[in-house]
Amino acid sequence: MRKIILMMSVSLDGYIEGPNREIDWHMVDDELHTHFNEQLATMGAFLNGRVTYELMADFWPTADREKDSTGPVADFAAIWRNMPKIVFSRTLQHARWHTTIVRDVVVEDIRALKAQDGGDLALGGAELAAEFLRHDLVDEYRIYVHPVVLGRGKPLFAESDSRRKLRLLENRTFGNGVVLLRYERAEAAETAEAVDSADA
């Protein structure tokens, strides 16, 4: 069964973008970008909302042709172009670059997608993430905390009445001060441990 993995960069105070939608505070150097490439190249598809997809589609299809592109940028351009993408939008009519448009998040369809062969599914975008969280569809969180306090902006997690216990899988500090916090659902860890015990 494939996992849905929420991968997002956030400020220390939990925002994914500033009050004017700015993300110029992201500290993505070659080390961090190479890490992103290594993680995303193994995925089976990117899951995005319309806004995130259009931002990506405006830059990445030809990013490796820019004369000032670094190696990691050029590498990710190829990853993005070739990766299957699913865009959740009620208004987008056409999309290129191996992209499928889906109108709504339907739980049964997402579970069927997870049951297909292939790599895990990378989820991005605050609104889409909130919808997946409402349906309890996120299996793993990879949160990249950047060393900056924005004060206000768009939070990664919307207010919710649900509480989810998580288990820490990994933490890593990059040279630029960004910290990766990687968690999985606690019940997933308990299920895996029960299976291991039964097999022993």
Side-chain angles (χ1 to χ4, degrees), residues 8 21 46-57 80 85-92 95 99-103 105 122-132:
M8 291 293 290
R21 309 202 72 172
F46 295 157
L47 311 180
N48 293 126
R50 178 187 59 80
V51 173
T52 299
Y53 170 77
E54 289 182 337
L55 286 171
M56 301 292 277
W80 190 88
K85 290 168 279 291
I86 300 174
V87 179
F88 294 81
S89 172
R90 295 189 177 119
T91 59
L92 190 65
T99 303
T100 301
I101 300 172
V102 175
R103 295 303 179 200
V105 176
L123 174 64
E127 288 86 358
L128 187 61
E131 186 71 10
F132 272 67

PDB file of all heavy atoms in Angstrom, residues 8 21 46-57 80 85-92 95 99-103 105 122-132:
ATOM      1  N   MET A   8       6.183  19.700   3.377  1.00  0.00           N
ATOM      2  CA  MET A   8       5.994  21.151   3.344  1.00  0.00           C
ATOM      3  C   MET A   8       7.115  21.851   4.107  1.00  0.00           C
ATOM      4  O   MET A   8       7.618  21.340   5.111  1.00  0.00           O
ATOM      5  CB  MET A   8       4.658  21.531   3.989  1.00  0.00           C
ATOM      6  CG  MET A   8       3.430  21.102   3.200  1.00  0.00           C
ATOM      7  SD  MET A   8       3.250  21.952   1.618  1.00  0.00           S
ATOM      8  CE  MET A   8       2.825  23.598   2.173  1.00  0.00           C
ATOM      9  N   ARG A  21       1.674  36.149   0.631  1.00  0.00           N
ATOM     10  CA  ARG A  21       1.929  34.896  -0.085  1.00  0.00           C
ATOM     11  C   ARG A  21       3.411  34.728  -0.431  1.00  0.00           C
ATOM     12  O   ARG A  21       3.761  33.890  -1.262  1.00  0.00           O
ATOM     13  CB  ARG A  21       1.070  34.766  -1.350  1.00  0.00           C
ATOM     14  CG  ARG A  21      -0.405  35.014  -1.111  1.00  0.00           C
ATOM     15  CD  ARG A  21      -1.278  34.393  -2.152  1.00  0.00           C
ATOM     16  NE  ARG A  21      -1.306  32.935  -2.002  1.00  0.00           N
ATOM     17  CZ  ARG A  21      -2.116  32.126  -2.685  1.00  0.00           C
ATOM     18  NH1 ARG A  21      -2.937  32.626  -3.581  1.00  0.00           N
ATOM     19  NH2 ARG A  21      -2.093  30.826  -2.502  1.00  0.00           N
ATOM     20  N   PHE A  46       2.807  13.366  -7.826  1.00  0.00           N
ATOM     21  CA  PHE A  46       2.638  14.576  -7.029  1.00  0.00           C
ATOM     22  C   PHE A  46       1.143  14.892  -6.956  1.00  0.00           C
ATOM     23  O   PHE A  46       0.457  14.900  -7.987  1.00  0.00           O
ATOM     24  CB  PHE A  46       3.359  15.761  -7.658  1.00  0.00           C
ATOM     25  CG  PHE A  46       4.857  15.640  -7.708  1.00  0.00           C
ATOM     26  CD1 PHE A  46       5.586  16.370  -8.642  1.00  0.00           C
ATOM     27  CD2 PHE A  46       5.550  14.810  -6.843  1.00  0.00           C
ATOM     28  CE1 PHE A  46       6.970  16.277  -8.695  1.00  0.00           C
ATOM     29  CE2 PHE A  46       6.931  14.707  -6.884  1.00  0.00           C
ATOM     30  CZ  PHE A  46       7.643  15.446  -7.815  1.00  0.00           C
ATOM     31  N   LEU A  47       0.644  15.182  -5.771  1.00  0.00           N
ATOM     32  CA  LEU A  47      -0.747  15.581  -5.557  1.00  0.00           C
ATOM     33  C   LEU A  47      -0.752  17.048  -5.162  1.00  0.00           C
ATOM     34  O   LEU A  47      -0.196  17.413  -4.127  1.00  0.00           O
ATOM     35  CB  LEU A  47      -1.397  14.749  -4.450  1.00  0.00           C
ATOM     36  CG  LEU A  47      -1.235  13.232  -4.517  1.00  0.00           C
ATOM     37  CD1 LEU A  47      -1.958  12.573  -3.336  1.00  0.00           C
ATOM     38  CD2 LEU A  47      -1.767  12.680  -5.835  1.00  0.00           C
ATOM     39  N   ASN A  48      -1.391  17.894  -5.979  1.00  0.00           N
ATOM     40  CA  ASN A  48      -1.390  19.333  -5.725  1.00  0.00           C
ATOM     41  C   ASN A  48      -2.751  19.937  -5.995  1.00  0.00           C
ATOM     42  O   ASN A  48      -3.555  19.383  -6.748  1.00  0.00           O
ATOM     43  CB  ASN A  48      -0.362  20.047  -6.607  1.00  0.00           C
ATOM     44  CG  ASN A  48       1.068  19.693  -6.262  1.00  0.00           C
ATOM     45  OD1 ASN A  48       1.820  19.277  -7.118  1.00  0.00           O
ATOM     46  ND2 ASN A  48       1.467  19.858  -5.022  1.00  0.00           N
ATOM     47  N   GLY A  49      -2.979  21.108  -5.403  1.00  0.00           N
ATOM     48  CA  GLY A  49      -4.110  21.922  -5.770  1.00  0.00           C
ATOM     49  C   GLY A  49      -3.755  22.781  -6.977  1.00  0.00           C
ATOM     50  O   GLY A  49      -2.609  22.794  -7.435  1.00  0.00           O
ATOM     51  N   ARG A  50      -4.745  23.512  -7.474  1.00  0.00           N
ATOM     52  CA  ARG A  50      -4.534  24.296  -8.698  1.00  0.00           C
ATOM     53  C   ARG A  50      -3.450  25.356  -8.534  1.00  0.00           C
ATOM     54  O   ARG A  50      -2.595  25.520  -9.406  1.00  0.00           O
ATOM     55  CB  ARG A  50      -5.846  24.966  -9.120  1.00  0.00           C
ATOM     56  CG  ARG A  50      -5.700  25.839 -10.373  1.00  0.00           C
ATOM     57  CD  ARG A  50      -6.968  26.622 -10.650  1.00  0.00           C
ATOM     58  NE  ARG A  50      -7.328  27.494  -9.548  1.00  0.00           N
ATOM     59  CZ  ARG A  50      -6.774  28.684  -9.313  1.00  0.00           C
ATOM     60  NH1 ARG A  50      -5.820  29.144 -10.102  1.00  0.00           N
ATOM     61  NH2 ARG A  50      -7.170  29.417  -8.288  1.00  0.00           N
ATOM     62  N   VAL A  51      -3.476  26.101  -7.422  1.00  0.00           N
ATOM     63  CA  VAL A  51      -2.530  27.198  -7.245  1.00  0.00           C
ATOM     64  C   VAL A  51      -1.102  26.674  -7.242  1.00  0.00           C
ATOM     65  O   VAL A  51      -0.224  27.204  -7.939  1.00  0.00           O
ATOM     66  CB  VAL A  51      -2.832  27.975  -5.951  1.00  0.00           C
ATOM     67  CG1 VAL A  51      -1.737  29.000  -5.674  1.00  0.00           C
ATOM     68  CG2 VAL A  51      -4.186  28.682  -6.060  1.00  0.00           C
ATOM     69  N   THR A  52      -0.849  25.627  -6.473  1.00  0.00           N
ATOM     70  CA  THR A  52       0.496  25.062  -6.417  1.00  0.00           C
ATOM     71  C   THR A  52       0.913  24.533  -7.779  1.00  0.00           C
ATOM     72  O   THR A  52       2.039  24.767  -8.244  1.00  0.00           O
ATOM     73  CB  THR A  52       0.555  23.938  -5.371  1.00  0.00           C
ATOM     74  OG1 THR A  52       0.233  24.481  -4.093  1.00  0.00           O
ATOM     75  CG2 THR A  52       1.941  23.309  -5.320  1.00  0.00           C
ATOM     76  N   TYR A  53      -0.007  23.832  -8.450  1.00  0.00           N
ATOM     77  CA  TYR A  53       0.323  23.293  -9.765  1.00  0.00           C
ATOM     78  C   TYR A  53       0.689  24.398 -10.750  1.00  0.00           C
ATOM     79  O   TYR A  53       1.687  24.302 -11.476  1.00  0.00           O
ATOM     80  CB  TYR A  53      -0.838  22.476 -10.319  1.00  0.00           C
ATOM     81  CG  TYR A  53      -0.625  22.104 -11.769  1.00  0.00           C
ATOM     82  CD1 TYR A  53       0.237  21.081 -12.121  1.00  0.00           C
ATOM     83  CD2 TYR A  53      -1.250  22.823 -12.795  1.00  0.00           C
ATOM     84  CE1 TYR A  53       0.480  20.763 -13.454  1.00  0.00           C
ATOM     85  CE2 TYR A  53      -1.021  22.515 -14.120  1.00  0.00           C
ATOM     86  CZ  TYR A  53      -0.159  21.488 -14.445  1.00  0.00           C
ATOM     87  OH  TYR A  53       0.080  21.179 -15.766  1.00  0.00           O
ATOM     88  N   GLU A  54      -0.099  25.459 -10.780  1.00  0.00           N
ATOM     89  CA  GLU A  54       0.163  26.524 -11.746  1.00  0.00           C
ATOM     90  C   GLU A  54       1.476  27.246 -11.443  1.00  0.00           C
ATOM     91  O   GLU A  54       2.205  27.636 -12.369  1.00  0.00           O
ATOM     92  CB  GLU A  54      -1.003  27.508 -11.776  1.00  0.00           C
ATOM     93  CG  GLU A  54      -2.256  26.908 -12.417  1.00  0.00           C
ATOM     94  CD  GLU A  54      -3.420  27.867 -12.506  1.00  0.00           C
ATOM     95  OE1 GLU A  54      -3.459  28.837 -11.711  1.00  0.00           O
ATOM     96  OE2 GLU A  54      -4.297  27.642 -13.347  1.00  0.00           O
ATOM     97  N   LEU A  55       1.801  27.416 -10.165  1.00  0.00           N
ATOM     98  CA  LEU A  55       3.089  28.004  -9.811  1.00  0.00           C
ATOM     99  C   LEU A  55       4.237  27.127 -10.305  1.00  0.00           C
ATOM    100  O   LEU A  55       5.228  27.626 -10.856  1.00  0.00           O
ATOM    101  CB  LEU A  55       3.185  28.190  -8.294  1.00  0.00           C
ATOM    102  CG  LEU A  55       2.360  29.327  -7.691  1.00  0.00           C
ATOM    103  CD1 LEU A  55       2.390  29.254  -6.168  1.00  0.00           C
ATOM    104  CD2 LEU A  55       2.884  30.681  -8.160  1.00  0.00           C
ATOM    105  N   MET A  56       4.094  25.826 -10.105  1.00  0.00           N
ATOM    106  CA  MET A  56       5.139  24.908 -10.552  1.00  0.00           C
ATOM    107  C   MET A  56       5.231  24.886 -12.078  1.00  0.00           C
ATOM    108  O   MET A  56       6.322  24.904 -12.648  1.00  0.00           O
ATOM    109  CB  MET A  56       4.855  23.500 -10.014  1.00  0.00           C
ATOM    110  CG  MET A  56       4.780  23.396  -8.504  1.00  0.00           C
ATOM    111  SD  MET A  56       6.356  23.665  -7.690  1.00  0.00           S
ATOM    112  CE  MET A  56       7.089  22.036  -7.817  1.00  0.00           C
ATOM    113  N   ALA A  57       4.083  24.845 -12.734  1.00  0.00           N
ATOM    114  CA  ALA A  57       4.053  24.748 -14.195  1.00  0.00           C
ATOM    115  C   ALA A  57       4.574  26.010 -14.874  1.00  0.00           C
ATOM    116  O   ALA A  57       5.004  25.963 -16.033  1.00  0.00           O
ATOM    117  CB  ALA A  57       2.631  24.448 -14.670  1.00  0.00           C
ATOM    118  N   TRP A  80      10.247  16.883 -12.203  1.00  0.00           N
ATOM    119  CA  TRP A  80       8.890  17.439 -12.237  1.00  0.00           C
ATOM    120  C   TRP A  80       8.208  17.173 -13.576  1.00  0.00           C
ATOM    121  O   TRP A  80       7.040  16.800 -13.623  1.00  0.00           O
ATOM    122  CB  TRP A  80       8.922  18.943 -11.955  1.00  0.00           C
ATOM    123  CG  TRP A  80       7.552  19.507 -11.737  1.00  0.00           C
ATOM    124  CD1 TRP A  80       6.867  19.590 -10.566  1.00  0.00           C
ATOM    125  CD2 TRP A  80       6.667  20.031 -12.750  1.00  0.00           C
ATOM    126  NE1 TRP A  80       5.626  20.125 -10.770  1.00  0.00           N
ATOM    127  CE2 TRP A  80       5.477  20.399 -12.107  1.00  0.00           C
ATOM    128  CE3 TRP A  80       6.790  20.209 -14.128  1.00  0.00           C
ATOM    129  CZ2 TRP A  80       4.404  20.950 -12.793  1.00  0.00           C
ATOM    130  CZ3 TRP A  80       5.716  20.753 -14.816  1.00  0.00           C
ATOM    131  CH2 TRP A  80       4.548  21.126 -14.148  1.00  0.00           C
ATOM    132  N   LYS A  85       1.324  13.673 -12.272  1.00  0.00           N
ATOM    133  CA  LYS A  85       0.796  14.680 -11.366  1.00  0.00           C
ATOM    134  C   LYS A  85      -0.730  14.612 -11.363  1.00  0.00           C
ATOM    135  O   LYS A  85      -1.340  14.442 -12.414  1.00  0.00           O
ATOM    136  CB  LYS A  85       1.259  16.082 -11.806  1.00  0.00           C
ATOM    137  CG  LYS A  85       2.748  16.315 -11.593  1.00  0.00           C
ATOM    138  CD  LYS A  85       3.246  17.565 -12.285  1.00  0.00           C
ATOM    139  CE  LYS A  85       3.507  17.344 -13.761  1.00  0.00           C
ATOM    140  NZ  LYS A  85       4.661  16.458 -14.039  1.00  0.00           N
ATOM    141  N   ILE A  86      -1.306  14.750 -10.185  1.00  0.00           N
ATOM    142  CA  ILE A  86      -2.762  14.802 -10.036  1.00  0.00           C
ATOM    143  C   ILE A  86      -3.096  16.154  -9.432  1.00  0.00           C
ATOM    144  O   ILE A  86      -2.609  16.494  -8.346  1.00  0.00           O
ATOM    145  CB  ILE A  86      -3.295  13.662  -9.162  1.00  0.00           C
ATOM    146  CG1 ILE A  86      -2.937  12.308  -9.794  1.00  0.00           C
ATOM    147  CG2 ILE A  86      -4.807  13.788  -8.969  1.00  0.00           C
ATOM    148  CD1 ILE A  86      -3.289  11.111  -8.936  1.00  0.00           C
ATOM    149  N   VAL A  87      -3.884  16.948 -10.132  1.00  0.00           N
ATOM    150  CA  VAL A  87      -4.266  18.277  -9.678  1.00  0.00           C
ATOM    151  C   VAL A  87      -5.740  18.255  -9.300  1.00  0.00           C
ATOM    152  O   VAL A  87      -6.596  17.869 -10.115  1.00  0.00           O
ATOM    153  CB  VAL A  87      -4.017  19.335 -10.769  1.00  0.00           C
ATOM    154  CG1 VAL A  87      -4.444  20.707 -10.271  1.00  0.00           C
ATOM    155  CG2 VAL A  87      -2.559  19.349 -11.163  1.00  0.00           C
ATOM    156  N   PHE A  88      -6.025  18.672  -8.087  1.00  0.00           N
ATOM    157  CA  PHE A  88      -7.397  18.734  -7.603  1.00  0.00           C
ATOM    158  C   PHE A  88      -7.908  20.154  -7.803  1.00  0.00           C
ATOM    159  O   PHE A  88      -7.441  21.096  -7.158  1.00  0.00           O
ATOM    160  CB  PHE A  88      -7.458  18.339  -6.124  1.00  0.00           C
ATOM    161  CG  PHE A  88      -7.106  16.896  -5.885  1.00  0.00           C
ATOM    162  CD1 PHE A  88      -5.785  16.488  -5.821  1.00  0.00           C
ATOM    163  CD2 PHE A  88      -8.108  15.942  -5.743  1.00  0.00           C
ATOM    164  CE1 PHE A  88      -5.451  15.156  -5.614  1.00  0.00           C
ATOM    165  CE2 PHE A  88      -7.787  14.603  -5.533  1.00  0.00           C
ATOM    166  CZ  PHE A  88      -6.453  14.217  -5.473  1.00  0.00           C
ATOM    167  N   SER A  89      -8.844  20.310  -8.736  1.00  0.00           N
ATOM    168  CA  SER A  89      -9.359  21.637  -9.051  1.00  0.00           C
ATOM    169  C   SER A  89     -10.735  21.518  -9.696  1.00  0.00           C
ATOM    170  O   SER A  89     -10.948  20.650 -10.543  1.00  0.00           O
ATOM    171  CB  SER A  89      -8.399  22.366 -10.002  1.00  0.00           C
ATOM    172  OG  SER A  89      -8.974  23.575 -10.459  1.00  0.00           O
ATOM    173  N   ARG A  90     -11.626  22.421  -9.324  1.00  0.00           N
ATOM    174  CA  ARG A  90     -12.941  22.473  -9.959  1.00  0.00           C
ATOM    175  C   ARG A  90     -12.971  23.454 -11.119  1.00  0.00           C
ATOM    176  O   ARG A  90     -13.977  23.543 -11.823  1.00  0.00           O
ATOM    177  CB  ARG A  90     -14.004  22.866  -8.927  1.00  0.00           C
ATOM    178  CG  ARG A  90     -14.186  21.833  -7.825  1.00  0.00           C
ATOM    179  CD  ARG A  90     -15.380  22.152  -6.949  1.00  0.00           C
ATOM    180  NE  ARG A  90     -15.550  21.108  -5.951  1.00  0.00           N
ATOM    181  CZ  ARG A  90     -15.492  21.304  -4.643  1.00  0.00           C
ATOM    182  NH1 ARG A  90     -15.262  22.519  -4.172  1.00  0.00           N
ATOM    183  NH2 ARG A  90     -15.672  20.304  -3.805  1.00  0.00           N
ATOM    184  N   THR A  91     -11.877  24.208 -11.319  1.00  0.00           N
ATOM    185  CA  THR A  91     -11.879  25.240 -12.363  1.00  0.00           C
ATOM    186  C   THR A  91     -10.852  25.000 -13.460  1.00  0.00           C
ATOM    187  O   THR A  91     -11.038  25.472 -14.581  1.00  0.00           O
ATOM    188  CB  THR A  91     -11.614  26.624 -11.745  1.00  0.00           C
ATOM    189  OG1 THR A  91     -10.342  26.609 -11.073  1.00  0.00           O
ATOM    190  CG2 THR A  91     -12.702  26.987 -10.736  1.00  0.00           C
ATOM    191  N   LEU A  92      -9.781  24.305 -13.170  1.00  0.00           N
ATOM    192  CA  LEU A  92      -8.743  24.075 -14.176  1.00  0.00           C
ATOM    193  C   LEU A  92      -9.284  23.195 -15.301  1.00  0.00           C
ATOM    194  O   LEU A  92      -9.859  22.134 -15.045  1.00  0.00           O
ATOM    195  CB  LEU A  92      -7.528  23.410 -13.517  1.00  0.00           C
ATOM    196  CG  LEU A  92      -6.260  23.302 -14.360  1.00  0.00           C
ATOM    197  CD1 LEU A  92      -5.703  24.684 -14.681  1.00  0.00           C
ATOM    198  CD2 LEU A  92      -5.212  22.467 -13.629  1.00  0.00           C
ATOM    199  N   ALA A  95      -4.308  20.827 -18.588  1.00  0.00           N
ATOM    200  CA  ALA A  95      -3.017  20.720 -17.914  1.00  0.00           C
ATOM    201  C   ALA A  95      -2.100  19.824 -18.745  1.00  0.00           C
ATOM    202  O   ALA A  95      -2.566  18.878 -19.386  1.00  0.00           O
ATOM    203  CB  ALA A  95      -3.183  20.156 -16.509  1.00  0.00           C
ATOM    204  N   THR A  99      -0.196  15.327 -16.439  1.00  0.00           N
ATOM    205  CA  THR A  99      -1.084  15.782 -15.369  1.00  0.00           C
ATOM    206  C   THR A  99      -2.509  15.322 -15.598  1.00  0.00           C
ATOM    207  O   THR A  99      -3.048  15.452 -16.696  1.00  0.00           O
ATOM    208  CB  THR A  99      -1.051  17.324 -15.275  1.00  0.00           C
ATOM    209  OG1 THR A  99       0.298  17.751 -15.054  1.00  0.00           O
ATOM    210  CG2 THR A  99      -1.937  17.812 -14.139  1.00  0.00           C
ATOM    211  N   THR A 100      -3.116  14.805 -14.537  1.00  0.00           N
ATOM    212  CA  THR A 100      -4.533  14.424 -14.526  1.00  0.00           C
ATOM    213  C   THR A 100      -5.281  15.395 -13.623  1.00  0.00           C
ATOM    214  O   THR A 100      -4.831  15.670 -12.500  1.00  0.00           O
ATOM    215  CB  THR A 100      -4.710  12.988 -13.994  1.00  0.00           C
ATOM    216  OG1 THR A 100      -3.971  12.086 -14.816  1.00  0.00           O
ATOM    217  CG2 THR A 100      -6.180  12.587 -13.978  1.00  0.00           C
ATOM    218  N   ILE A 101      -6.402  15.914 -14.103  1.00  0.00           N
ATOM    219  CA  ILE A 101      -7.225  16.832 -13.308  1.00  0.00           C
ATOM    220  C   ILE A 101      -8.336  16.042 -12.632  1.00  0.00           C
ATOM    221  O   ILE A 101      -9.052  15.277 -13.275  1.00  0.00           O
ATOM    222  CB  ILE A 101      -7.825  17.942 -14.186  1.00  0.00           C
ATOM    223  CG1 ILE A 101      -6.708  18.750 -14.863  1.00  0.00           C
ATOM    224  CG2 ILE A 101      -8.720  18.861 -13.351  1.00  0.00           C
ATOM    225  CD1 ILE A 101      -7.217  19.738 -15.897  1.00  0.00           C
ATOM    226  N   VAL A 102      -8.463  16.235 -11.320  1.00  0.00           N
ATOM    227  CA  VAL A 102      -9.512  15.593 -10.534  1.00  0.00           C
ATOM    228  C   VAL A 102     -10.319  16.698  -9.866  1.00  0.00           C
ATOM    229  O   VAL A 102      -9.748  17.659  -9.339  1.00  0.00           O
ATOM    230  CB  VAL A 102      -8.913  14.643  -9.483  1.00  0.00           C
ATOM    231  CG1 VAL A 102      -9.998  14.076  -8.578  1.00  0.00           C
ATOM    232  CG2 VAL A 102      -8.142  13.519 -10.162  1.00  0.00           C
ATOM    233  N   ARG A 103     -11.622  16.586  -9.900  1.00  0.00           N
ATOM    234  CA  ARG A 103     -12.466  17.683  -9.407  1.00  0.00           C
ATOM    235  C   ARG A 103     -12.602  17.712  -7.883  1.00  0.00           C
ATOM    236  O   ARG A 103     -12.672  18.781  -7.284  1.00  0.00           O
ATOM    237  CB  ARG A 103     -13.864  17.592 -10.047  1.00  0.00           C
ATOM    238  CG  ARG A 103     -13.852  17.798 -11.552  1.00  0.00           C
ATOM    239  CD  ARG A 103     -13.239  19.120 -11.929  1.00  0.00           C
ATOM    240  NE  ARG A 103     -13.200  19.341 -13.385  1.00  0.00           N
ATOM    241  CZ  ARG A 103     -12.401  20.202 -13.967  1.00  0.00           C
ATOM    242  NH1 ARG A 103     -11.548  20.928 -13.270  1.00  0.00           N
ATOM    243  NH2 ARG A 103     -12.410  20.348 -15.280  1.00  0.00           N
ATOM    244  N   VAL A 105     -11.849  15.619  -3.838  1.00  0.00           N
ATOM    245  CA  VAL A 105     -11.172  14.597  -3.043  1.00  0.00           C
ATOM    246  C   VAL A 105     -12.231  13.580  -2.611  1.00  0.00           C
ATOM    247  O   VAL A 105     -13.041  13.851  -1.726  1.00  0.00           O
ATOM    248  CB  VAL A 105     -10.474  15.209  -1.816  1.00  0.00           C
ATOM    249  CG1 VAL A 105      -9.849  14.108  -0.953  1.00  0.00           C
ATOM    250  CG2 VAL A 105      -9.425  16.215  -2.239  1.00  0.00           C
ATOM    251  N   ALA A 122       3.292  12.250  -3.075  1.00  0.00           N
ATOM    252  CA  ALA A 122       3.733  13.471  -2.408  1.00  0.00           C
ATOM    253  C   ALA A 122       2.625  14.513  -2.450  1.00  0.00           C
ATOM    254  O   ALA A 122       2.211  14.949  -3.525  1.00  0.00           O
ATOM    255  CB  ALA A 122       4.993  14.012  -3.067  1.00  0.00           C
ATOM    256  N   LEU A 123       2.148  14.909  -1.278  1.00  0.00           N
ATOM    257  CA  LEU A 123       1.041  15.858  -1.147  1.00  0.00           C
ATOM    258  C   LEU A 123       1.591  17.232  -0.814  1.00  0.00           C
ATOM    259  O   LEU A 123       2.412  17.382   0.091  1.00  0.00           O
ATOM    260  CB  LEU A 123       0.101  15.382  -0.034  1.00  0.00           C
ATOM    261  CG  LEU A 123      -1.048  16.296   0.368  1.00  0.00           C
ATOM    262  CD1 LEU A 123      -2.042  16.484  -0.773  1.00  0.00           C
ATOM    263  CD2 LEU A 123      -1.751  15.731   1.606  1.00  0.00           C
ATOM    264  N   GLY A 124       1.143  18.267  -1.546  1.00  0.00           N
ATOM    265  CA  GLY A 124       1.572  19.629  -1.280  1.00  0.00           C
ATOM    266  C   GLY A 124       0.424  20.614  -1.371  1.00  0.00           C
ATOM    267  O   GLY A 124      -0.564  20.371  -2.066  1.00  0.00           O
ATOM    268  N   GLY A 125       0.560  21.747  -0.662  1.00  0.00           N
ATOM    269  CA  GLY A 125      -0.463  22.785  -0.686  1.00  0.00           C
ATOM    270  C   GLY A 125      -1.316  22.760   0.564  1.00  0.00           C
ATOM    271  O   GLY A 125      -1.808  21.701   0.957  1.00  0.00           O
ATOM    272  N   ALA A 126      -1.486  23.915   1.205  1.00  0.00           N
ATOM    273  CA  ALA A 126      -2.183  23.967   2.488  1.00  0.00           C
ATOM    274  C   ALA A 126      -3.652  23.573   2.375  1.00  0.00           C
ATOM    275  O   ALA A 126      -4.167  22.797   3.186  1.00  0.00           O
ATOM    276  CB  ALA A 126      -2.066  25.364   3.093  1.00  0.00           C
ATOM    277  N   GLU A 127      -4.353  24.114   1.370  1.00  0.00           N
ATOM    278  CA  GLU A 127      -5.781  23.823   1.256  1.00  0.00           C
ATOM    279  C   GLU A 127      -6.024  22.348   0.950  1.00  0.00           C
ATOM    280  O   GLU A 127      -6.899  21.707   1.544  1.00  0.00           O
ATOM    281  CB  GLU A 127      -6.429  24.691   0.169  1.00  0.00           C
ATOM    282  CG  GLU A 127      -6.579  26.155   0.547  1.00  0.00           C
ATOM    283  CD  GLU A 127      -5.327  26.961   0.240  1.00  0.00           C
ATOM    284  OE1 GLU A 127      -4.328  26.373  -0.227  1.00  0.00           O
ATOM    285  OE2 GLU A 127      -5.344  28.183   0.479  1.00  0.00           O
ATOM    286  N   LEU A 128      -5.242  21.800   0.031  1.00  0.00           N
ATOM    287  CA  LEU A 128      -5.407  20.389  -0.300  1.00  0.00           C
ATOM    288  C   LEU A 128      -5.020  19.510   0.885  1.00  0.00           C
ATOM    289  O   LEU A 128      -5.695  18.521   1.185  1.00  0.00           O
ATOM    290  CB  LEU A 128      -4.572  20.030  -1.521  1.00  0.00           C
ATOM    291  CG  LEU A 128      -4.781  18.616  -2.073  1.00  0.00           C
ATOM    292  CD1 LEU A 128      -6.226  18.408  -2.516  1.00  0.00           C
ATOM    293  CD2 LEU A 128      -3.828  18.338  -3.231  1.00  0.00           C
ATOM    294  N   ALA A 129      -3.943  19.889   1.580  1.00  0.00           N
ATOM    295  CA  ALA A 129      -3.543  19.130   2.766  1.00  0.00           C
ATOM    296  C   ALA A 129      -4.653  19.140   3.811  1.00  0.00           C
ATOM    297  O   ALA A 129      -4.937  18.106   4.440  1.00  0.00           O
ATOM    298  CB  ALA A 129      -2.260  19.713   3.352  1.00  0.00           C
ATOM    299  N   ALA A 130      -5.301  20.283   3.997  1.00  0.00           N
ATOM    300  CA  ALA A 130      -6.394  20.365   4.968  1.00  0.00           C
ATOM    301  C   ALA A 130      -7.536  19.425   4.598  1.00  0.00           C
ATOM    302  O   ALA A 130      -8.139  18.774   5.459  1.00  0.00           O
ATOM    303  CB  ALA A 130      -6.902  21.809   5.068  1.00  0.00           C
ATOM    304  N   GLU A 131      -7.825  19.336   3.297  1.00  0.00           N
ATOM    305  CA  GLU A 131      -8.886  18.439   2.835  1.00  0.00           C
ATOM    306  C   GLU A 131      -8.504  16.978   3.082  1.00  0.00           C
ATOM    307  O   GLU A 131      -9.322  16.173   3.552  1.00  0.00           O
ATOM    308  CB  GLU A 131      -9.150  18.687   1.357  1.00  0.00           C
ATOM    309  CG  GLU A 131     -10.319  17.919   0.772  1.00  0.00           C
ATOM    310  CD  GLU A 131     -11.670  18.424   1.250  1.00  0.00           C
ATOM    311  OE1 GLU A 131     -11.740  19.494   1.895  1.00  0.00           O
ATOM    312  OE2 GLU A 131     -12.675  17.732   0.995  1.00  0.00           O
ATOM    313  N   PHE A 132      -7.263  16.619   2.787  1.00  0.00           N
ATOM    314  CA  PHE A 132      -6.807  15.253   3.039  1.00  0.00           C
ATOM    315  C   PHE A 132      -6.812  14.946   4.535  1.00  0.00           C
ATOM    316  O   PHE A 132      -7.173  13.838   4.950  1.00  0.00           O
ATOM    317  CB  PHE A 132      -5.408  15.039   2.447  1.00  0.00           C
ATOM    318  CG  PHE A 132      -5.423  14.596   1.010  1.00  0.00           C
ATOM    319  CD1 PHE A 132      -5.870  15.444   0.013  1.00  0.00           C
ATOM    320  CD2 PHE A 132      -5.000  13.333   0.658  1.00  0.00           C
ATOM    321  CE1 PHE A 132      -5.888  15.046  -1.320  1.00  0.00           C
ATOM    322  CE2 PHE A 132      -5.016  12.913  -0.663  1.00  0.00           C
ATOM    323  CZ  PHE A 132      -5.465  13.768  -1.655  1.00  0.00           C
TER     324      PHE A 132
END
